[in-house]
Amino acid sequence: MTITFLGTGTSQGVPVIACTCPVCLSTDKHDKRLRTSILIEAEAKVIAIDSGPDFRYQMLREKVMHLDAIVFTHEHKDHVAGMDDIRAFNYKQQMPVDIYADDRVQLALRREFPYIFDNKGYPGIPQVNLHTVTLKPFNVGDVHFTPIEVMHYKLPVKGYRIKDFTYITDAKTLSEVEKDKIRGSKILVINALQKEKHISHFTLDEAIAFARDIGAKQTYLTHISHRLGKHADVSIELPAGIYLAYDGLKLEI
C-alpha cells in the first residue's frame, strides 16, 4: 500500500498570498505546500483523505487515473472545497465516487454543494454515494479504517488508523481512549502548525511530545504553516525518527 502526501500545508497553503517572509519566498520545493491531504493506493482501491481547494491540481500532479472514494476528516474549507472535481472521475469511471463522512460533515457538504444533493439530476454534476462514518471501524474495499476522534479546539475531527499507519490532522487535544487506538502504529502523521502556541493545532513542540508518547518508529509532521520555518532549517532541529512531510512524499506501509 502506498501513501502519497498530496498536500502538507495549512489552510492558506505555502506560500501565503502576498506574504514576503523567507519561507514564502523560498525556492526550495519542500517549502511549497498545498492544502493537507493524502492518497492511499491499495491493491483494490484508490482513496483520498480529504479534498481541499487544491484537489484538482493534486490529482493532475500525481497523475491519478482512478479514484474510488474520499474519506473526510472534517468540514473546514481547506479539507472539502475541491469535492466538485470528482466529476472527471465520474465521467471516466461511469460510476459514483464513494464519500465517507460523519453526520456533521455530510450536512456541511450538502450546504456547500447543494446542487449535488438536490435530486434535480442536472447533467455533469458530481455523482456520489454517501456513507456515514462513526467511531466504529469500517472498510473501503480492502482498506480497513479505524476512526480516531481528536479535538480541533471545540470541533471534533476524525483521524484514521490503517494497519500500522495513523493519519491525524487539525488536532489540539485527544482523550487517552483515542490515544490507545494509535499506540502500536509504526508510522504516525500528525499536525505541527507552528512553533508559537495556537488555540486549535499542535505546535512543533507539542507534536514532538505527542510522537514520543505514542512511540511510533517514524513520525511525519504535516499541516505546516509558513510560521514554522523553512523545511531545511526545521528538519535539522528534529529528534531522530521525526520528519517534516512534504508534498509528493511517498510511503510504503
Side-chain angles (χ1 to χ4, degrees):
M1 185 181 297
T2 302
I3 305 289
T4 302
F5 287 81
L6 299 173
T8 56
T10 188
S11 58
Q12 296 185 83
V14 183
V16 174
I17 293 171
C19 183
T20 57
C21 78
V23 176
C24 289
L25 294 179
S26 171
T27 58
D28 184 348
K29 66 179 182 179
H30 297 95
D31 292 320
K32 311 300 181 186
R33 301 183 183 276
L34 301 178
R35 267 62 75 94
T36 299
S37 177
I38 61 170
L39 187 74
I40 302 163
E41 296 174 275
E43 185 173 342
K45 293 289 181 181
V46 179
I47 305 159
I49 295 186
D50 291 334
S51 58
D54 304 311
F55 181 74
R56 175 182 176 274
Y57 177 70
Q58 290 166 336
M59 296 295 99
L60 291 169
R61 186 193 68 201
E62 297 302 327
K63 298 179 174 60
V64 180
M65 305 303 290
H66 183 93
L67 185 71
D68 294 292
I70 302 174
V71 178
F72 284 105
T73 60
H74 65 297
E75 66 269 37
H76 283 168
K77 276 283 192 177
D78 55 320
H79 295 262
V80 305
M83 193 180 76
D84 181 84
D85 286 317
I86 65 167
R87 290 181 293 152
F89 293 113
N90 294 146
Y91 180 79
K92 182 177 181 182
Q93 297 163 198
Q94 290 297 295
M95 61 187 301
V97 170
D98 289 312
I99 300 297
Y100 291 80
D102 64 24
D103 288 333
R104 193 192 67 249
V105 175
Q106 289 187 33
L107 285 173
L109 293 176
R110 292 179 184 276
R111 182 174 63 248
E112 296 293 328
F113 303 97
Y115 55 92
I116 297 178
F117 305 101
D118 63 12
N119 296 318
K120 292 182 179 179
Y122 188 85
I125 63 173
Q127 302 295 316
V128 302
N129 288 327
L130 281 178
H131 304 269
T132 300
V133 172
T134 64
L135 287 177
K136 294 181 180 179
F138 62 94
N139 288 344
V140 181
D142 57 337
V143 184
H144 184 73
F145 286 81
T146 299
I148 300 157
E149 185 172 83
V150 305
M151 297 303 297
H152 182 34
Y153 185 42
K154 296 181 180 180
L155 181 72
V157 169
K158 295 291 190 303
Y160 296 101
R161 179 168 178 171
I162 303 154
K163 295 183 177 181
D164 293 327
F165 170 85
T166 296
Y167 179 78
I168 296 174
T169 182
D170 294 78
K172 182 63 176 181
T173 58
L174 66 164
S175 71
E176 290 299 322
V177 171
E178 299 304 301
K179 278 186 185 180
D180 286 342
K181 296 180 183 178
I182 306 170
R183 298 191 191 281
S185 298
K186 293 179 181 177
I187 300 176
L188 170 67
V189 179
I190 189 71
N191 59 298
L193 186 74
Q194 58 192 36
K195 293 182 178 180
E196 298 80 12
K197 284 287 185 182
H198 194 273
I199 194 170
S200 60
H201 284 278
F202 280 151
T203 65
L204 178 61
D205 285 345
E206 288 168 344
I208 291 171
F210 182 80
R212 286 172 167 163
D213 182 26
I214 295 302
K217 290 183 179 178
Q218 296 178 332
T219 294
Y220 292 88
L221 306 179
T222 192
H223 213 290
I224 293 164
S225 85
H226 63 152
R227 294 187 183 93
L228 185 65
K230 291 183 179 180
H231 179 95
D233 295 337
V234 177
S235 291
I236 62 176
E237 302 173 11
L238 297 176
I242 300 179
Y243 313 93
L244 291 184
Y246 55 87
D247 292 20
L249 172 65
K250 294 182 184 293
L251 303 176
E252 298 295 329
I253 65 169

PDB file of all heavy atoms in Angstrom, residues 39 44-47 55 59 64-70 85-98 127:
ATOM      1  N   LEU A  39      -3.222  10.484  -0.408  1.00  0.00           N
ATOM      2  CA  LEU A  39      -3.801   9.494  -1.311  1.00  0.00           C
ATOM      3  C   LEU A  39      -3.338   8.122  -0.870  1.00  0.00           C
ATOM      4  O   LEU A  39      -2.145   7.913  -0.612  1.00  0.00           O
ATOM      5  CB  LEU A  39      -3.368   9.756  -2.750  1.00  0.00           C
ATOM      6  CG  LEU A  39      -4.038   8.885  -3.812  1.00  0.00           C
ATOM      7  CD1 LEU A  39      -5.482   9.342  -4.036  1.00  0.00           C
ATOM      8  CD2 LEU A  39      -3.253   8.934  -5.124  1.00  0.00           C
ATOM      9  N   ALA A  44      -6.755  -2.939  -4.240  1.00  0.00           N
ATOM     10  CA  ALA A  44      -8.044  -2.905  -4.940  1.00  0.00           C
ATOM     11  C   ALA A  44      -8.727  -1.540  -4.925  1.00  0.00           C
ATOM     12  O   ALA A  44      -9.731  -1.358  -5.611  1.00  0.00           O
ATOM     13  CB  ALA A  44      -8.991  -3.950  -4.347  1.00  0.00           C
ATOM     14  N   LYS A  45      -8.226  -0.581  -4.152  1.00  0.00           N
ATOM     15  CA  LYS A  45      -8.906   0.698  -4.012  1.00  0.00           C
ATOM     16  C   LYS A  45      -7.918   1.860  -4.026  1.00  0.00           C
ATOM     17  O   LYS A  45      -6.790   1.736  -3.524  1.00  0.00           O
ATOM     18  CB  LYS A  45      -9.711   0.758  -2.706  1.00  0.00           C
ATOM     19  CG  LYS A  45     -10.904  -0.193  -2.646  1.00  0.00           C
ATOM     20  CD  LYS A  45     -12.030   0.257  -3.575  1.00  0.00           C
ATOM     21  CE  LYS A  45     -13.222  -0.679  -3.489  1.00  0.00           C
ATOM     22  NZ  LYS A  45     -14.324  -0.273  -4.391  1.00  0.00           N
ATOM     23  N   VAL A  46      -8.369   2.987  -4.571  1.00  0.00           N
ATOM     24  CA  VAL A  46      -7.625   4.247  -4.505  1.00  0.00           C
ATOM     25  C   VAL A  46      -8.516   5.238  -3.753  1.00  0.00           C
ATOM     26  O   VAL A  46      -9.656   5.481  -4.154  1.00  0.00           O
ATOM     27  CB  VAL A  46      -7.280   4.779  -5.895  1.00  0.00           C
ATOM     28  CG1 VAL A  46      -6.523   6.109  -5.790  1.00  0.00           C
ATOM     29  CG2 VAL A  46      -6.463   3.756  -6.679  1.00  0.00           C
ATOM     30  N   ILE A  47      -7.980   5.781  -2.656  1.00  0.00           N
ATOM     31  CA  ILE A  47      -8.785   6.563  -1.719  1.00  0.00           C
ATOM     32  C   ILE A  47      -8.045   7.840  -1.363  1.00  0.00           C
ATOM     33  O   ILE A  47      -6.854   7.808  -1.039  1.00  0.00           O
ATOM     34  CB  ILE A  47      -9.049   5.762  -0.425  1.00  0.00           C
ATOM     35  CG1 ILE A  47      -9.687   4.405  -0.752  1.00  0.00           C
ATOM     36  CG2 ILE A  47      -9.904   6.559   0.558  1.00  0.00           C
ATOM     37  CD1 ILE A  47      -9.509   3.375   0.357  1.00  0.00           C
ATOM     38  N   PHE A  55      -7.372  20.206  -4.780  1.00  0.00           N
ATOM     39  CA  PHE A  55      -7.615  18.811  -5.165  1.00  0.00           C
ATOM     40  C   PHE A  55      -7.360  18.566  -6.657  1.00  0.00           C
ATOM     41  O   PHE A  55      -6.707  17.592  -7.031  1.00  0.00           O
ATOM     42  CB  PHE A  55      -9.047  18.432  -4.798  1.00  0.00           C
ATOM     43  CG  PHE A  55      -9.422  17.017  -5.112  1.00  0.00           C
ATOM     44  CD1 PHE A  55      -8.948  15.960  -4.352  1.00  0.00           C
ATOM     45  CD2 PHE A  55     -10.268  16.734  -6.179  1.00  0.00           C
ATOM     46  CE1 PHE A  55      -9.310  14.655  -4.639  1.00  0.00           C
ATOM     47  CE2 PHE A  55     -10.632  15.429  -6.473  1.00  0.00           C
ATOM     48  CZ  PHE A  55     -10.154  14.391  -5.702  1.00  0.00           C
ATOM     49  N   MET A  59      -4.499  15.965  -8.078  1.00  0.00           N
ATOM     50  CA  MET A  59      -4.786  14.794  -8.913  1.00  0.00           C
ATOM     51  C   MET A  59      -3.974  14.821 -10.202  1.00  0.00           C
ATOM     52  O   MET A  59      -3.440  13.792 -10.648  1.00  0.00           O
ATOM     53  CB  MET A  59      -6.282  14.742  -9.238  1.00  0.00           C
ATOM     54  CG  MET A  59      -7.204  14.540  -8.043  1.00  0.00           C
ATOM     55  SD  MET A  59      -7.012  12.936  -7.196  1.00  0.00           S
ATOM     56  CE  MET A  59      -5.955  13.418  -5.806  1.00  0.00           C
ATOM     57  N   VAL A  64      -3.222  10.832 -11.066  1.00  0.00           N
ATOM     58  CA  VAL A  64      -4.205   9.886 -10.534  1.00  0.00           C
ATOM     59  C   VAL A  64      -5.230   9.610 -11.625  1.00  0.00           C
ATOM     60  O   VAL A  64      -5.918  10.519 -12.092  1.00  0.00           O
ATOM     61  CB  VAL A  64      -4.888  10.444  -9.269  1.00  0.00           C
ATOM     62  CG1 VAL A  64      -5.909   9.447  -8.732  1.00  0.00           C
ATOM     63  CG2 VAL A  64      -3.840  10.769  -8.204  1.00  0.00           C
ATOM     64  N   MET A  65      -5.338   8.365 -12.037  1.00  0.00           N
ATOM     65  CA  MET A  65      -6.213   7.979 -13.145  1.00  0.00           C
ATOM     66  C   MET A  65      -7.509   7.319 -12.685  1.00  0.00           C
ATOM     67  O   MET A  65      -8.402   7.074 -13.500  1.00  0.00           O
ATOM     68  CB  MET A  65      -5.466   7.036 -14.095  1.00  0.00           C
ATOM     69  CG  MET A  65      -4.150   7.606 -14.613  1.00  0.00           C
ATOM     70  SD  MET A  65      -4.343   9.191 -15.478  1.00  0.00           S
ATOM     71  CE  MET A  65      -5.193   8.646 -16.956  1.00  0.00           C
ATOM     72  N   HIS A  66      -7.596   7.026 -11.412  1.00  0.00           N
ATOM     73  CA  HIS A  66      -8.788   6.352 -10.882  1.00  0.00           C
ATOM     74  C   HIS A  66      -8.940   6.729  -9.417  1.00  0.00           C
ATOM     75  O   HIS A  66      -7.951   6.821  -8.685  1.00  0.00           O
ATOM     76  CB  HIS A  66      -8.635   4.828 -11.018  1.00  0.00           C
ATOM     77  CG  HIS A  66      -9.842   4.063 -10.571  1.00  0.00           C
ATOM     78  ND1 HIS A  66     -10.849   3.683 -11.431  1.00  0.00           N
ATOM     79  CD2 HIS A  66     -10.220   3.609  -9.344  1.00  0.00           C
ATOM     80  CE1 HIS A  66     -11.783   3.034 -10.763  1.00  0.00           C
ATOM     81  NE2 HIS A  66     -11.429   2.978  -9.496  1.00  0.00           N
ATOM     82  N   LEU A  67     -10.181   6.969  -8.992  1.00  0.00           N
ATOM     83  CA  LEU A  67     -10.453   7.290  -7.591  1.00  0.00           C
ATOM     84  C   LEU A  67     -11.743   6.610  -7.174  1.00  0.00           C
ATOM     85  O   LEU A  67     -12.791   6.822  -7.777  1.00  0.00           O
ATOM     86  CB  LEU A  67     -10.583   8.800  -7.387  1.00  0.00           C
ATOM     87  CG  LEU A  67     -10.739   9.249  -5.929  1.00  0.00           C
ATOM     88  CD1 LEU A  67      -9.428   9.051  -5.162  1.00  0.00           C
ATOM     89  CD2 LEU A  67     -11.186  10.702  -5.844  1.00  0.00           C
ATOM     90  N   ASP A  68     -11.652   5.787  -6.133  1.00  0.00           N
ATOM     91  CA  ASP A  68     -12.825   5.065  -5.649  1.00  0.00           C
ATOM     92  C   ASP A  68     -13.585   5.819  -4.572  1.00  0.00           C
ATOM     93  O   ASP A  68     -14.811   5.733  -4.502  1.00  0.00           O
ATOM     94  CB  ASP A  68     -12.406   3.697  -5.083  1.00  0.00           C
ATOM     95  CG  ASP A  68     -11.863   2.781  -6.155  1.00  0.00           C
ATOM     96  OD1 ASP A  68     -12.650   2.358  -7.015  1.00  0.00           O
ATOM     97  OD2 ASP A  68     -10.645   2.510  -6.145  1.00  0.00           O
ATOM     98  N   ALA A  69     -12.858   6.547  -3.706  1.00  0.00           N
ATOM     99  CA  ALA A  69     -13.524   7.117  -2.530  1.00  0.00           C
ATOM    100  C   ALA A  69     -12.750   8.306  -1.984  1.00  0.00           C
ATOM    101  O   ALA A  69     -11.541   8.431  -2.194  1.00  0.00           O
ATOM    102  CB  ALA A  69     -13.663   6.052  -1.444  1.00  0.00           C
ATOM    103  N   ILE A  70     -13.490   9.163  -1.268  1.00  0.00           N
ATOM    104  CA  ILE A  70     -12.895  10.199  -0.431  1.00  0.00           C
ATOM    105  C   ILE A  70     -13.397   9.979   0.981  1.00  0.00           C
ATOM    106  O   ILE A  70     -14.606   9.816   1.206  1.00  0.00           O
ATOM    107  CB  ILE A  70     -13.279  11.613  -0.889  1.00  0.00           C
ATOM    108  CG1 ILE A  70     -12.849  11.857  -2.331  1.00  0.00           C
ATOM    109  CG2 ILE A  70     -12.634  12.666   0.026  1.00  0.00           C
ATOM    110  CD1 ILE A  70     -13.315  13.192  -2.901  1.00  0.00           C
ATOM    111  N   ASP A  85     -14.537  18.464  -8.067  1.00  0.00           N
ATOM    112  CA  ASP A  85     -13.667  17.977  -9.128  1.00  0.00           C
ATOM    113  C   ASP A  85     -13.651  16.463  -9.276  1.00  0.00           C
ATOM    114  O   ASP A  85     -12.943  15.943 -10.156  1.00  0.00           O
ATOM    115  CB  ASP A  85     -12.246  18.506  -8.933  1.00  0.00           C
ATOM    116  CG  ASP A  85     -12.134  19.981  -9.303  1.00  0.00           C
ATOM    117  OD1 ASP A  85     -12.712  20.365 -10.331  1.00  0.00           O
ATOM    118  OD2 ASP A  85     -11.506  20.738  -8.549  1.00  0.00           O
ATOM    119  N   ILE A  86     -14.421  15.756  -8.483  1.00  0.00           N
ATOM    120  CA  ILE A  86     -14.545  14.307  -8.732  1.00  0.00           C
ATOM    121  C   ILE A  86     -15.328  14.034 -10.014  1.00  0.00           C
ATOM    122  O   ILE A  86     -15.357  12.894 -10.496  1.00  0.00           O
ATOM    123  CB  ILE A  86     -15.209  13.562  -7.558  1.00  0.00           C
ATOM    124  CG1 ILE A  86     -16.667  14.009  -7.391  1.00  0.00           C
ATOM    125  CG2 ILE A  86     -14.409  13.728  -6.275  1.00  0.00           C
ATOM    126  CD1 ILE A  86     -17.475  13.114  -6.480  1.00  0.00           C
ATOM    127  N   ARG A  87     -15.946  15.075 -10.594  1.00  0.00           N
ATOM    128  CA  ARG A  87     -16.722  14.893 -11.825  1.00  0.00           C
ATOM    129  C   ARG A  87     -15.923  14.195 -12.917  1.00  0.00           C
ATOM    130  O   ARG A  87     -16.469  13.394 -13.691  1.00  0.00           O
ATOM    131  CB  ARG A  87     -17.213  16.246 -12.340  1.00  0.00           C
ATOM    132  CG  ARG A  87     -18.282  16.876 -11.481  1.00  0.00           C
ATOM    133  CD  ARG A  87     -18.736  18.190 -12.077  1.00  0.00           C
ATOM    134  NE  ARG A  87     -17.696  19.199 -12.037  1.00  0.00           N
ATOM    135  CZ  ARG A  87     -17.596  20.208 -12.900  1.00  0.00           C
ATOM    136  NH1 ARG A  87     -18.462  20.315 -13.899  1.00  0.00           N
ATOM    137  NH2 ARG A  87     -16.645  21.106 -12.772  1.00  0.00           N
ATOM    138  N   ALA A  88     -14.643  14.516 -12.998  1.00  0.00           N
ATOM    139  CA  ALA A  88     -13.813  13.891 -14.035  1.00  0.00           C
ATOM    140  C   ALA A  88     -13.718  12.384 -13.829  1.00  0.00           C
ATOM    141  O   ALA A  88     -13.750  11.606 -14.792  1.00  0.00           O
ATOM    142  CB  ALA A  88     -12.421  14.521 -14.029  1.00  0.00           C
ATOM    143  N   PHE A  89     -13.612  11.967 -12.568  1.00  0.00           N
ATOM    144  CA  PHE A  89     -13.569  10.534 -12.274  1.00  0.00           C
ATOM    145  C   PHE A  89     -14.918   9.876 -12.555  1.00  0.00           C
ATOM    146  O   PHE A  89     -14.976   8.747 -13.061  1.00  0.00           O
ATOM    147  CB  PHE A  89     -13.143  10.295 -10.830  1.00  0.00           C
ATOM    148  CG  PHE A  89     -11.723  10.695 -10.545  1.00  0.00           C
ATOM    149  CD1 PHE A  89     -11.442  11.756  -9.693  1.00  0.00           C
ATOM    150  CD2 PHE A  89     -10.659  10.023 -11.124  1.00  0.00           C
ATOM    151  CE1 PHE A  89     -10.133  12.137  -9.433  1.00  0.00           C
ATOM    152  CE2 PHE A  89      -9.346  10.388 -10.875  1.00  0.00           C
ATOM    153  CZ  PHE A  89      -9.087  11.449 -10.025  1.00  0.00           C
ATOM    154  N   ASN A  90     -16.010  10.567 -12.231  1.00  0.00           N
ATOM    155  CA  ASN A  90     -17.340  10.045 -12.573  1.00  0.00           C
ATOM    156  C   ASN A  90     -17.436   9.753 -14.064  1.00  0.00           C
ATOM    157  O   ASN A  90     -17.916   8.703 -14.483  1.00  0.00           O
ATOM    158  CB  ASN A  90     -18.433  11.046 -12.207  1.00  0.00           C
ATOM    159  CG  ASN A  90     -18.593  11.294 -10.723  1.00  0.00           C
ATOM    160  OD1 ASN A  90     -18.919  12.402 -10.322  1.00  0.00           O
ATOM    161  ND2 ASN A  90     -18.386  10.297  -9.892  1.00  0.00           N
ATOM    162  N   TYR A  91     -16.994  10.713 -14.854  1.00  0.00           N
ATOM    163  CA  TYR A  91     -17.104  10.587 -16.309  1.00  0.00           C
ATOM    164  C   TYR A  91     -16.256   9.429 -16.824  1.00  0.00           C
ATOM    165  O   TYR A  91     -16.725   8.606 -17.622  1.00  0.00           O
ATOM    166  CB  TYR A  91     -16.677  11.891 -16.978  1.00  0.00           C
ATOM    167  CG  TYR A  91     -16.763  11.856 -18.490  1.00  0.00           C
ATOM    168  CD1 TYR A  91     -17.993  12.010 -19.129  1.00  0.00           C
ATOM    169  CD2 TYR A  91     -15.619  11.672 -19.255  1.00  0.00           C
ATOM    170  CE1 TYR A  91     -18.076  11.968 -20.519  1.00  0.00           C
ATOM    171  CE2 TYR A  91     -15.694  11.629 -20.644  1.00  0.00           C
ATOM    172  CZ  TYR A  91     -16.924  11.780 -21.274  1.00  0.00           C
ATOM    173  OH  TYR A  91     -16.999  11.722 -22.633  1.00  0.00           O
ATOM    174  N   LYS A  92     -15.036   9.342 -16.339  1.00  0.00           N
ATOM    175  CA  LYS A  92     -14.143   8.289 -16.833  1.00  0.00           C
ATOM    176  C   LYS A  92     -14.567   6.924 -16.349  1.00  0.00           C
ATOM    177  O   LYS A  92     -14.519   5.937 -17.104  1.00  0.00           O
ATOM    178  CB  LYS A  92     -12.701   8.576 -16.396  1.00  0.00           C
ATOM    179  CG  LYS A  92     -11.727   7.530 -16.916  1.00  0.00           C
ATOM    180  CD  LYS A  92     -10.295   7.833 -16.557  1.00  0.00           C
ATOM    181  CE  LYS A  92      -9.388   6.753 -17.147  1.00  0.00           C
ATOM    182  NZ  LYS A  92      -7.973   6.973 -16.784  1.00  0.00           N
ATOM    183  N   GLN A  93     -14.985   6.836 -15.075  1.00  0.00           N
ATOM    184  CA  GLN A  93     -15.300   5.540 -14.466  1.00  0.00           C
ATOM    185  C   GLN A  93     -16.750   5.120 -14.670  1.00  0.00           C
ATOM    186  O   GLN A  93     -17.102   3.969 -14.442  1.00  0.00           O
ATOM    187  CB  GLN A  93     -14.965   5.591 -12.965  1.00  0.00           C
ATOM    188  CG  GLN A  93     -13.484   5.815 -12.719  1.00  0.00           C
ATOM    189  CD  GLN A  93     -13.143   6.276 -11.305  1.00  0.00           C
ATOM    190  OE1 GLN A  93     -12.059   6.797 -11.043  1.00  0.00           O
ATOM    191  NE2 GLN A  93     -14.049   6.090 -10.364  1.00  0.00           N
ATOM    192  N   GLN A  94     -17.587   6.096 -15.072  1.00  0.00           N
ATOM    193  CA  GLN A  94     -19.012   5.835 -15.281  1.00  0.00           C
ATOM    194  C   GLN A  94     -19.665   5.240 -14.040  1.00  0.00           C
ATOM    195  O   GLN A  94     -20.466   4.297 -14.116  1.00  0.00           O
ATOM    196  CB  GLN A  94     -19.213   4.918 -16.499  1.00  0.00           C
ATOM    197  CG  GLN A  94     -18.905   5.597 -17.832  1.00  0.00           C
ATOM    198  CD  GLN A  94     -19.852   6.777 -18.113  1.00  0.00           C
ATOM    199  OE1 GLN A  94     -21.057   6.588 -18.276  1.00  0.00           O
ATOM    200  NE2 GLN A  94     -19.293   7.981 -18.173  1.00  0.00           N
ATOM    201  N   MET A  95     -19.320   5.816 -12.904  1.00  0.00           N
ATOM    202  CA  MET A  95     -19.915   5.391 -11.644  1.00  0.00           C
ATOM    203  C   MET A  95     -19.675   6.462 -10.586  1.00  0.00           C
ATOM    204  O   MET A  95     -18.760   7.278 -10.714  1.00  0.00           O
ATOM    205  CB  MET A  95     -19.335   4.053 -11.186  1.00  0.00           C
ATOM    206  CG  MET A  95     -17.841   4.060 -10.923  1.00  0.00           C
ATOM    207  SD  MET A  95     -17.175   2.399 -10.565  1.00  0.00           S
ATOM    208  CE  MET A  95     -18.141   1.949  -9.119  1.00  0.00           C
ATOM    209  N   PRO A  96     -20.493   6.474  -9.523  1.00  0.00           N
ATOM    210  CA  PRO A  96     -20.284   7.450  -8.447  1.00  0.00           C
ATOM    211  C   PRO A  96     -18.990   7.177  -7.682  1.00  0.00           C
ATOM    212  O   PRO A  96     -18.440   6.073  -7.705  1.00  0.00           O
ATOM    213  CB  PRO A  96     -21.509   7.248  -7.547  1.00  0.00           C
ATOM    214  CG  PRO A  96     -22.498   6.507  -8.370  1.00  0.00           C
ATOM    215  CD  PRO A  96     -21.700   5.657  -9.309  1.00  0.00           C
ATOM    216  N   VAL A  97     -18.518   8.215  -6.994  1.00  0.00           N
ATOM    217  CA  VAL A  97     -17.406   8.088  -6.052  1.00  0.00           C
ATOM    218  C   VAL A  97     -18.008   7.955  -4.654  1.00  0.00           C
ATOM    219  O   VAL A  97     -18.937   8.685  -4.297  1.00  0.00           O
ATOM    220  CB  VAL A  97     -16.471   9.307  -6.133  1.00  0.00           C
ATOM    221  CG1 VAL A  97     -15.462   9.298  -4.989  1.00  0.00           C
ATOM    222  CG2 VAL A  97     -15.739   9.324  -7.480  1.00  0.00           C
ATOM    223  N   ASP A  98     -17.501   7.017  -3.877  1.00  0.00           N
ATOM    224  CA  ASP A  98     -17.985   6.828  -2.511  1.00  0.00           C
ATOM    225  C   ASP A  98     -17.425   7.921  -1.604  1.00  0.00           C
ATOM    226  O   ASP A  98     -16.222   8.205  -1.630  1.00  0.00           O
ATOM    227  CB  ASP A  98     -17.576   5.452  -1.987  1.00  0.00           C
ATOM    228  CG  ASP A  98     -18.355   4.328  -2.656  1.00  0.00           C
ATOM    229  OD1 ASP A  98     -19.585   4.451  -2.740  1.00  0.00           O
ATOM    230  OD2 ASP A  98     -17.725   3.343  -3.091  1.00  0.00           O
ATOM    231  N   GLN A 127     -21.282  12.784  -9.025  1.00  0.00           N
ATOM    232  CA  GLN A 127     -22.117  11.653  -8.610  1.00  0.00           C
ATOM    233  C   GLN A 127     -21.445  10.982  -7.411  1.00  0.00           C
ATOM    234  O   GLN A 127     -20.278  10.578  -7.495  1.00  0.00           O
ATOM    235  CB  GLN A 127     -22.275  10.656  -9.753  1.00  0.00           C
ATOM    236  CG  GLN A 127     -22.879  11.254 -11.006  1.00  0.00           C
ATOM    237  CD  GLN A 127     -24.311  11.722 -10.787  1.00  0.00           C
ATOM    238  OE1 GLN A 127     -25.125  11.017 -10.167  1.00  0.00           O
ATOM    239  NE2 GLN A 127     -24.629  12.905 -11.288  1.00  0.00           N
TER     240      GLN A 127
END
